[in-house]
Amino acid sequence: MTTPMNVSDLAQVLFASELQASDDPSPDQVRLIIEGRIRSCHADLSDCAALVAQEAGDHPEAYANRMRWALCEADRIHLSLSST
């Protein structure tokens, strides 16, 4: 990753991806999805933030669980990125 991001940034990127908690992704899969999404949006996270907001409005019943999952996964990824 070229731009340092915090856990919240990474979670928003993951939340906006098609990856699901039910996919039971490995940390490497999560990192690849996040990196690909960041590349595809040229590191402009505004589209990810907009999608997170839209999903929160469209599916409020699923938002908290998905964001909690995204934050946990992002925290794991952030820790692994910080240790390299």
Side-chain angles (χ1 to χ4, degrees), residues 21-79:
S22 60
D23 296 333
D24 193 26
S26 71
D28 285 338
Q29 289 172 310
V30 171
R31 187 173 54 254
L32 288 172
I33 290 293
I34 289 173
E35 289 173 348
R37 187 107 173 106
I38 290 169
R39 270 192 306 278
S40 72
C41 68
H42 307 289
D44 178 6
L45 300 182
S46 60
D47 68 326
C48 291
L51 184 55
V52 169
Q54 179 181 347
E55 285 297 312
D58 291 349
H59 305 285
E61 72 288 350
Y63 170 79
N65 285 337
R66 181 159 176 79
M67 185 52 80
R68 193 173 7 262
W69 168 77
L71 284 165
C72 287
E73 293 297 320
D75 189 46
R76 287 195 322 174
I77 297 307
H78 189 260
L79 290 174

